[in-house]
Amino acid sequence: MRVATWNVNSIRARVDRVTDWLARADVDVLAMQETKCSDDKFPAMPFVELGYEVAYHGLNQWNGVAIASRVGLENVQLGFDNQPAWEAAAEARALAATCGGVRVWSLYVPNGRTVDSPHYAYKLEWLAALRDNAQKWLADDPQAQIALTGDWNIAPTDEDVWDIDFFAGSTHVTEKERAAFQAIVDAQFADVVRPFAPGPGVYTYWDYTQLRFPKRQGMRIDFILGSPAFAQRVGHAEIVREERKGKSPSDHAPVLVELN
């Protein structure tokens, strides 16, 4: 089974690119982030025509998450327990479904904006709540196959950014954010892609500005963190950098794992 995650940066603008890649890459399950559309505007039909079921959660033109699966789509869940809200408003940042026996989460972690912004505190609170839930899921079933996939908006190590000095004082690389990410790893959710695609210089995101992509000035902020039962099935993983090329790409590349 092939499971992938991709921040598509507007599914309506890129549905043809996404479905074309699904077919070419023979992907069974795709978690999507930043779909940027409300549920009534989600372009589900192109996925259905390819044989996928689709679950999506979008409230407006911001954020948004979705999961497309051709191996089943069961027990769909919007958000996790005690998921924080931003300024008392719910956001479409987390969606889960069981696909072929794997509990797949599509996660769009808050950006944080700046270290002195209330959004930064919200990001840390959001990650702490996710960690608490992840710990509980494994405590309830240590053999559960769980994949926490998505855009984490965190570069866990210095080698995950093209120039750490450039990001001095910025979000995504702060000690608190990295500690929040590590806390989920410590809860037995391993980065299952890095062993197959080690850095430095291996990124998942390149800003549209300043020719960041051809200059290879990127960030590694998209991850698949797997529970022990999921991680032991991973036989191959890759960051599909080629999908950042071409006409009107997302600013992120897909991240893919193949399960034995």
Side-chain angles (χ1 to χ4, degrees):
M1 190 164 83
R2 293 164 68 85
V3 179
T5 182
W6 195 356
N7 178 320
V8 296
N9 192 11
S10 178
I11 188 58
R12 289 192 294 168
R14 290 179 238 288
V15 63
D16 291 341
R17 283 196 62 131
V18 172
T19 53
D20 176 69
W21 180 71
L22 280 177
R24 285 187 288 109
D26 196 28
V27 174
D28 295 297
V29 183
L30 176 65
M32 292 167 273
Q33 304 83 43
E34 213 171 353
T35 54
K36 290 185 175 180
C37 69
S38 56
D39 286 351
D40 62 314
K41 294 184 172 69
F42 191 94
M45 191 53 63
F47 293 94
V48 173
E49 290 172 348
L50 277 179
Y52 291 84
E53 298 177 83
V54 192
Y56 39 87
H57 179 33
L59 302 174
N60 47 41
Q61 73 273 30
W62 309 110
N63 310 315
V65 283
I67 298 173
S69 172
R70 63 182 186 185
V71 291
L73 193 72
E74 302 174 344
N75 301 321
V76 174
Q77 178 180 339
L78 308 184
F80 47 80
D81 291 346
N82 301 313
Q83 180 179 323
W86 170 241
E87 296 183 338
E91 292 190 309
R93 291 189 176 273
L95 174 71
T98 301
C99 309
V102 176
R103 190 66 172 166
V104 176
W105 279 91
S106 181
L107 304 168
Y108 183 39
V109 175
N111 178 283
R113 300 180 184 173
T114 63
V115 293
D116 57 354
S117 167
H119 207 262
Y120 179 77
Y122 163 59
K123 178 179 190 175
L124 296 177
E125 183 184 3
W126 200 96
L127 288 161
L130 175 61
R131 176 207 60 215
D132 291 345
N133 277 271
Q135 288 178 323
K136 182 179 184 301
W137 298 330
L138 274 188
D140 290 344
D141 182 4
Q143 299 304 314
Q145 297 182 58
I146 306 171
L148 306 179
T149 83
D151 178 355
W152 292 75
N153 275 315
I154 298 170
T157 74
D158 287 357
E159 73 175 25
D160 294 329
V161 296
W162 63 274
D163 182 354
I164 191 61
D165 292 333
F166 178 86
F167 292 94
S170 300
T171 60
H172 293 54
V173 299
T174 66
E175 182 178 340
K176 288 182 178 179
E177 290 167 291
R178 288 177 169 180
F181 184 92
Q182 185 62 42
I184 296 173
V185 174
D186 291 342
Q188 299 187 71
F189 286 84
D191 178 353
V192 297
V193 177
R194 196 180 295 267
F196 297 89
V202 179
Y203 307 128
T204 65
Y205 163 83
W206 302 260
D207 197 315
Y208 289 127
T209 65
Q210 303 297 315
L211 297 175
R212 296 291 186 213
F213 182 69
K215 291 179 181 178
R216 297 183 177 272
Q217 296 175 346
M219 305 177 72
R220 186 177 190 142
I221 57 175
D222 302 84
F223 298 93
I224 298 176
L225 302 188
S227 65
F230 179 89
Q232 70 182 8
R233 292 185 62 195
V234 175
H236 174 74
E238 62 184 283
I239 295 166
V240 192
R241 187 178 185 275
E242 293 298 306
E243 292 305 312
R244 178 59 174 79
K245 299 178 180 179
K247 183 179 179 180
S248 300
S250 170
D251 44 3
H252 294 249
V255 179
L256 171 71
V257 299
E258 186 169 330
L259 306 181
N260 294 324

